[in-house]
Amino acid sequence: MTDRTRRLVLPLAAFLFGLVALGIAAVLTLTPQGREVAASDVGGPFSLVAHDGRPVTHEDFLGEPHLVFFGFTHCPDVCPTKLFEIAETLDAVKERSGRDVKALFVTVDPERDTPEAMRSYVSSFDDRIVGLTGSPEAVDAVVSAYRAFARKVPLDDGDYTMEHTAIVYIMDEEGRFVAGLNTAQAPEDAASELLSRI
Ligand code: NI
């Protein structure tokens, strides 16, 4: 694949993977005694570093429903689009309900995404978005806990990109997975969908 093809194909692959994963989550939710992973098993404890350099755990975000999204700051397409949609949705939620809902943006590329890199990246979207990074082991653990997917893909120029799950997770105030949020709709509609779930 040429770089150009890669830039087009990888975000699409990540998006399709997200759709499939969402479909699986939906099916598993409907399975009374799921033989495999139940949607209620999505999420869990984590120990990471916030974009201001503070160590944080899942407990720092309990008590309020919130969104979780995996990605990386070098992402050419999917992440900036999603984070923009999330920011628009959070604005619409605020306008509709007065509520400030947080979104956790967890990097799948801790090698490049230092807290400082995360801080400057998320600040260009919305101050309700919290960038989270950590050791490769800590990031792997949270990716697994959310049944997400992330894979390093070398590029022809010696650089690399990441394929990753592009689901926007709605988590409840106890940190349990509620549903995926479709942000690819008008912000008012995404806000209605989110508010109906939290
Ligand atoms: Ni991305």
Side-chain angles (χ1 to χ4, degrees):
M1 278 194 290
T2 64
D3 272 8
R4 184 176 157 69
T5 316
R6 254 182 227 286
R7 289 209 173 87
L8 294 172
V9 169
L10 292 182
L12 180 64
F15 176 71
L16 291 176
F17 184 87
L19 280 186
V20 170
L22 260 186
I24 291 167
V27 168
L28 290 173
T29 309
L30 298 173
T31 308
Q33 296 296 329
R35 291 183 309 277
E36 299 177 22
V37 180
S40 58
D41 291 334
V42 175
F46 60 76
S47 190
L48 295 166
V49 180
H51 67 239
D52 61 1
R54 264 183 321 127
V56 290
T57 73
H58 60 288
E59 293 187 341
D60 291 291
F61 304 102
L62 299 182
E64 295 286 347
H66 52 274
L67 304 177
V68 174
F69 179 65
F70 292 89
F72 65 117
T73 66
H74 285 67
C75 186
D77 188 354
V78 175
C79 291
T81 302
K82 285 276 181 186
L83 289 171
F84 178 75
E85 291 170 355
I86 289 171
E88 297 271 280
T89 302
L90 298 183
D91 280 343
V93 166
K94 174 75 172 180
E95 202 167 301
R96 177 86 51 90
S97 67
R99 296 171 75 174
D100 277 313
V101 175
K102 278 187 188 165
L104 312 186
F105 176 55
V106 184
T107 185
V108 295
D109 184 15
E111 193 177 321
R112 292 185 293 200
D113 286 341
T114 61
E116 176 53 31
M118 295 296 276
R119 190 194 61 75
S120 71
Y121 190 70
V122 299
S123 69
S124 64
F125 293 98
D126 194 289
D127 58 12
R128 285 163 295 206
I129 301 176
V130 182
L132 298 178
T133 185
S135 67
E137 295 74 24
V139 167
D140 283 350
V142 64
V143 167
S144 301
Y146 278 75
R147 315 294 168 185
F149 160 87
R151 189 167 74 92
K152 193 176 199 170
V153 182
L155 297 174
D156 298 337
D157 60 7
D159 208 352
Y160 67 91
T161 189
M162 302 293 297
E163 287 179 8
H164 63 90
T165 305
I167 299 174
V168 179
Y169 298 78
I170 303 173
M171 307 302 289
D172 73 9
E173 63 282 355
E174 290 177 48
R176 291 174 307 209
F177 175 65
V178 177
L181 176 65
N182 173 18
T183 57
Q185 53 186 329
E188 296 70 26
D189 295 335
S192 297
E193 186 180 325
L194 175 54
L195 285 166
S196 75
R197 298 287 198 166
I198 62 176

